[in-house]
């Protein structure tokens, strides 16, 4: 039962999260193209410092129509 429940949980998690991740990826790609950036890194890549002109969070939120 537990294995079946975990499997169902993971399937549902993927069903819900994959479309969100795809939408986010598309928004980042659109912003990257618009701003003509060659590289986009997320915070988990241990960036110590970045000039604020390279922070695209607000642009991505606009692209996602969140802000």
């Amino acid at each position: 039962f537990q294995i079946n429940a975990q499997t169902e949980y993971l399937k549902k998690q993927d069903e819900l999260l994959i479309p969100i991740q795809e939408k986010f990826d598309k928004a980042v790609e659109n912003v990257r193209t618009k701003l003509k950036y060659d590289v986009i890194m997320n915070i988990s890549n241990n960036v110590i410092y970045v000039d604020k002109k390279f922070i695209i969070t607000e642009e991505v939120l606009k692209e996602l129509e969140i802000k």
Side-chain angles (χ1 to χ4, degrees):
F1 172 77
Q2 185 177 3
I3 292 172
N4 190 35
Q6 284 179 317
T7 301
E8 289 300 315
Y9 170 79
L10 292 173
K11 283 172 58 176
K12 188 64 172 179
Q13 182 179 11
D14 283 348
E15 179 185 318
L16 296 171
L17 291 179
I18 287 174
I20 295 168
Q21 184 65 50
E22 288 173 348
K23 186 175 180 180
F24 175 79
D25 290 345
K26 184 175 180 179
V28 170
E29 177 61 23
N30 289 344
V31 171
R32 186 200 68 76
T33 301
K34 183 170 88 174
L35 298 178
K36 298 182 175 146
Y37 286 169
D38 293 322
V39 176
I40 303 292
M41 296 174 64
N42 66 28
I43 198 78
S44 66
N45 289 334
N46 300 320
V47 175
I48 303 298
Y49 173 80
V50 64
D51 190 306
K52 288 183 181 184
K53 70 181 178 185
F54 296 114
I55 297 175
I56 65 165
T57 303
E58 293 299 320
E59 291 291 327
V60 172
L61 292 174
K62 287 177 192 171
E63 184 73 27
L64 290 167
E65 298 176 351
I66 293 176
K67 272 192 166 179

